Amino acid sequence: MNKVKQQFSIKDLENLSGIKAHTIRIWEKRYQIFTPNRTETNIRFYSLDELQKLLNISFLNSYGYKISRVADYSEFDLNKLVKQVYSEKTNAVFSINVLKVAMFNFDAVLFNATYNELAKSKNFSQIFLQVYLPFLREIGMLWQTSAIKPIHEHFISYLIFQKLIENISLIQNEKQVVDHEKTVVLFLPENELHEISLMFINYQLISKGYRTIYFGSSVPFNDLVEMHKFYDTVHFVSYFTILPYADDLEAYLSNFEKTILRGSASKLYISGQQSKNIVSQYPSICTFDTIEDLIRSI
């Protein structure tokens, strides 16, 4: 039996489209863009097709198309107009909307078709930075507001994970190490499992010819201490999404500076949401607002 989510509340539509629930109600009343069903308690609910229609309207609206112009379009004409507007400049926004539909339908075929379409005009780094990374930020917020379930996030994250593995494998076969002086060790702190951004940093560094040692998620601190014994200088790279928690950050970094970095030329480079909570300055620890800034600094 197909148990893919087929019904959405108006709050779901607001969270997924970025259009306020109040505006959706006005559009619904004034332009009859939807004919929602109602529960026994008279609460509106919307179909997957209606969600797709709103995502298309939201996309067009963000590029100057007024609702009064597109409200009466048939599904065929609306999709046709979206394809006309879809271009090198706008396809990131459109693709994020398509990925939302793929996520709700658990549709790996649609995910891959979207990737293949993007790959016609973008390299993998551009796809990740312009589409996947903003999309992951969006679904993180949607998960926090209960607009999606953890299984949706797991499904779509694993598909992106697969693309990272594929592209890392390709570039490892193509690229030769050109910087033999730097040893870059990539890791996540213990119990931190959000690995996708760190994997992309690894991809970028390999593409630039750096020698990387990838440890991945949840690396015990003592293992990093042992790793440092093998090399005089190590460029540690990490991405703090959730951990260490804000209250534990200073203690973690102080210990890292004192136990691993002090007395050497080694450094720790950090990005991610939690890095914004770092207050103290450490001589050998650098924080960055974006992945691009971090990569440029190594």
Side-chain angles (χ1 to χ4, degrees):
M1 180 179 178
N2 183 5
K3 294 185 178 181
V4 173
K5 185 170 182 176
Q6 299 288 340
Q7 297 180 358
F8 302 87
S9 69
I10 196 165
K11 192 65 178 177
D12 289 335
L13 265 61
E14 178 183 76
N15 287 329
L16 290 164
S17 69
I19 304 295
K20 295 294 185 183
H22 176 68
T23 301
I24 295 172
R25 290 192 187 97
I26 292 174
W27 287 359
E28 181 183 320
K29 183 177 181 180
R30 185 175 299 170
Y31 302 107
Q32 292 80 49
I33 61 171
F34 300 130
T35 52
N37 292 309
R38 292 179 180 268
T39 65
E40 292 180 358
T41 54
N42 205 35
I43 297 173
R44 293 178 179 88
F45 64 89
Y46 301 81
S47 68
L48 186 61
D49 287 340
E50 287 171 323
L51 169 61
Q52 177 67 70
K53 182 177 182 179
L54 182 62
L55 289 172
N56 282 338
I57 290 173
S58 172
F59 170 75
L60 292 170
N61 188 247
S62 67
Y63 286 94
Y65 287 82
K66 294 183 178 180
I67 180 65
S68 56
R69 175 179 174 183
V70 299
D72 292 332
Y73 278 32
S74 67
E75 181 181 349
F76 175 82
D77 288 335
L78 193 62
N79 288 333
K80 183 178 178 181
L81 179 58
V82 165
K83 289 177 181 178
Q84 289 173 356
V85 175
Y86 180 93
S87 66
E88 175 70 17
K89 180 179 178 182
T90 63
N91 61 3
V93 178
F94 178 75
S95 296
I96 288 172
N97 282 345
V98 175
L99 289 176
K100 289 177 184 176
V101 175
M103 176 178 66
F104 270 106
N105 274 324
F106 302 105
D107 191 340
V109 173
L110 180 58
F111 173 89
N112 285 312
T114 305
Y115 175 82
N116 292 336
E117 188 64 31
L118 285 166
K120 292 177 182 178
S121 59
K122 299 179 185 293
N123 60 38
F124 181 70
S125 291
Q126 291 170 327
I127 293 172
F128 188 90
L129 291 169
Q130 296 172 21
V131 180
Y132 288 165
L133 196 58
F135 175 63
L136 288 168
R137 291 194 191 105
E138 276 200 43
I139 66 172
M141 293 175 62
L142 292 172
W143 183 83
Q144 290 174 18
T145 58
S146 300
I148 63 173
K149 297 184 183 299
I151 54 172
H152 293 116
E153 183 182 14
H154 292 323
F155 168 77
I156 207 74
S157 295
Y158 181 67
L159 292 176
I160 295 173
F161 182 89
Q162 284 182 313
K163 290 301 177 190
L164 276 161
I165 292 293
E166 289 173 13
N167 283 277
I168 288 171
S169 296
L170 285 172
I171 206 162
Q172 281 177 328
N173 291 330
E174 296 172 356
K175 284 285 182 178
Q176 298 295 319
V177 174
V178 296
D179 190 334
H180 295 275
E181 300 299 319
K182 289 183 178 178
T183 299
V184 183
V185 172
L186 298 98
F187 74 97
L188 296 182
E190 198 160 8
N191 298 316
E192 174 62 82
L193 303 175
H194 293 75
E195 195 175 350
I196 285 178
S197 293
L198 188 73
M199 288 182 68
F200 178 70
I201 295 171
N202 188 40
Y203 168 83
Q204 287 280 68
L205 293 175
I206 293 170
S207 70
K208 292 180 179 295
Y210 290 120
R211 180 176 183 269
T212 68
I213 300 173
Y214 189 83
F215 287 159
S217 62
S218 193
V219 178
F221 186 84
N222 288 338
D223 287 0
L224 299 172
V225 175
E226 286 298 313
M227 180 67 207
H228 198 235
K229 295 176 182 179
F230 287 88
Y231 300 93
D232 295 329
T233 301
V234 176
H235 295 265
F236 291 97
V237 174
S238 195
Y239 198 90
F240 294 179
T241 302
I242 294 177
L243 297 172
Y245 293 124
D247 292 343
D248 302 323
L249 264 174
E250 298 301 327
Y252 183 89
L253 295 177
S254 177
N255 192 31
F256 205 107
E257 172 77 28
K258 178 179 65 176
T259 307
I260 298 177
L261 302 177
R262 189 171 296 173
S264 73
S266 297
K267 291 186 177 183
L268 171 61
Y269 302 81
I270 308 168
S271 190
Q273 185 60 37
Q274 287 297 87
S275 69
K276 295 176 174 57
N277 294 317
I278 297 172
V279 176
S280 301
Q281 298 291 317
Y282 300 92
S284 301
I285 298 177
C286 309
T287 61
F288 303 91
D289 290 335
T290 67
I291 289 174
E292 300 98 308
D293 289 341
L294 185 153
I295 291 166
R296 279 193 292 267
S297 71
I298 296 179

